[in-house]
């Protein structure tokens, strides 16, 4: 986002704000109401959650949340600090996507107009490492585990066939060792 301001002293200043995609991971106590508290914090700061996934860790007393969002550096830092202040939060990290393994599961139900469509969708799924499920006369389901960018790219290529339905889990992420 770029904005130019003309101040009364006659100078023009240009402000450049870089909006970034952020992966946040939280280790929280595994008890009722934590998900509400975290999402309420985002809402109260007028901050949007792009995706969220939550699951119990190897220790049943804790859950790990992975949240993706968009914002400038200052906004992301602010939300990390606010999350870290929560009583039920054990750890909060803003992960560097280059030092992190992150994936999302998606399932696409795609329309089949003819027999050739089935072969073409199968080739497309294979190119993205997808798995074929539930092949019917008029539709096919593709399971794809990939990065959000790869899923969006697959979706764009599948649109000409006709996407009937999509389900996505949200991003799961872990920082690489030594990162």
């Amino acid at each position: 986002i770029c904005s130019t301001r003309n101040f009364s002293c006659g100078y023009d200043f240009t402000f450049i704000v870089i909006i970034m995609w952020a992966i946040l991971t939280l280790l929280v106590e595994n008890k009722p109401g934590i998900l509400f508290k975290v999402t309420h914090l985002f809402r109260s700061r007028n901050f949007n959650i792009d995706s969220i996934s939550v699951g119990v860790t190897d220790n049943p007393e804790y859950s790990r949340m992975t949240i993706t969002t968009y914002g400038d550096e200052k906004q992301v830092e602010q939300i990390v600090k606010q999350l870290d202040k929560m009583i039920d939060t054990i750890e909060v990290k803003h992960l560097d996507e280059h030092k992190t393994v992150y994936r999302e599961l998606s399932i696409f139900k795609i329309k089949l107009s003819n027999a050739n469509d089935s072969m073409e969708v199968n080739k497309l799924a294979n190119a993205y490492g997808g798995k074929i499920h539930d092949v019917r006369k008029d539709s096919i389901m593709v399971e794809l585990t990939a990065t959000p960018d790869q899923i969006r790219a697959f979706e764009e290529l599948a649109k000409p066939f006709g996407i009937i339905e999509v389900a996505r889990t949200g991003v799961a992420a872990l920082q690489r060792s030594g990162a």
Side-chain angles (χ1 to χ4, degrees):
I1 298 173
C2 184
S3 175
T4 302
R5 302 277 187 238
N6 187 343
F7 292 92
S8 59
C9 56
Y11 297 105
D12 286 343
F13 291 94
T14 301
F15 300 95
I16 298 175
V17 178
I18 298 172
I19 303 297
M20 62 183 187
W21 183 63
I23 305 170
L24 307 178
T25 183
L26 293 76
L27 186 63
V28 296
E29 292 180 19
N30 186 17
K31 57 185 188 182
I34 303 299
L35 180 60
F36 173 78
K37 288 179 183 179
V38 169
T39 56
H40 179 74
L41 177 68
F42 273 77
R43 187 194 62 74
S44 68
R45 303 289 184 275
N46 201 26
F47 217 62
N48 194 42
I49 294 174
D50 185 47
S51 79
I52 186 168
S53 62
V54 184
V56 177
T57 65
D58 57 325
N59 181 343
E61 292 181 19
Y62 303 109
S63 290
R64 178 159 316 277
M65 292 184 180
T66 304
I67 301 171
T68 62
T69 188
Y70 287 91
D72 63 41
E73 193 171 342
K74 185 178 177 183
Q75 290 172 319
V76 172
E77 284 177 18
Q78 177 191 7
I79 203 76
V80 167
K81 287 177 185 174
Q82 294 295 317
L83 289 166
D84 205 27
K85 287 180 184 176
M86 291 176 56
I87 294 170
D88 306 313
T89 302
I90 309 304
E91 179 182 59
V92 180
K93 289 182 183 177
H94 175 196
L95 301 177
D96 179 341
E97 68 180 280
H98 303 291
K99 297 177 181 176
T100 302
V101 175
Y102 60 97
R103 298 291 183 271
E104 181 175 7
L105 170 68
S106 59
I107 301 173
F108 292 86
K109 186 187 290 185
I110 301 170
K111 182 180 177 185
L112 298 177
S113 299
N114 56 55
N116 191 44
D117 283 357
S118 179
M119 290 187 318
E120 292 300 314
V121 170
N122 204 333
K123 284 181 194 174
L124 181 60
N126 286 335
Y128 281 85
K131 295 178 185 173
I132 300 296
H133 298 282
D134 197 43
V135 180
R136 303 291 171 134
K137 189 172 109 176
D138 60 344
S139 68
I140 189 169
M141 286 187 155
V142 178
E143 172 192 333
L144 182 61
T145 302
T147 66
D149 287 342
Q150 291 167 329
I151 291 170
R152 279 189 290 276
F154 175 87
E155 186 174 17
E156 285 302 312
L157 293 172
K159 276 183 182 177
F161 296 100
I163 297 174
I164 299 168
E165 221 173 338
V166 179
R168 294 175 73 162
T169 61
V171 173
L174 288 174
Q175 193 170 21
R176 295 181 191 273
S177 296

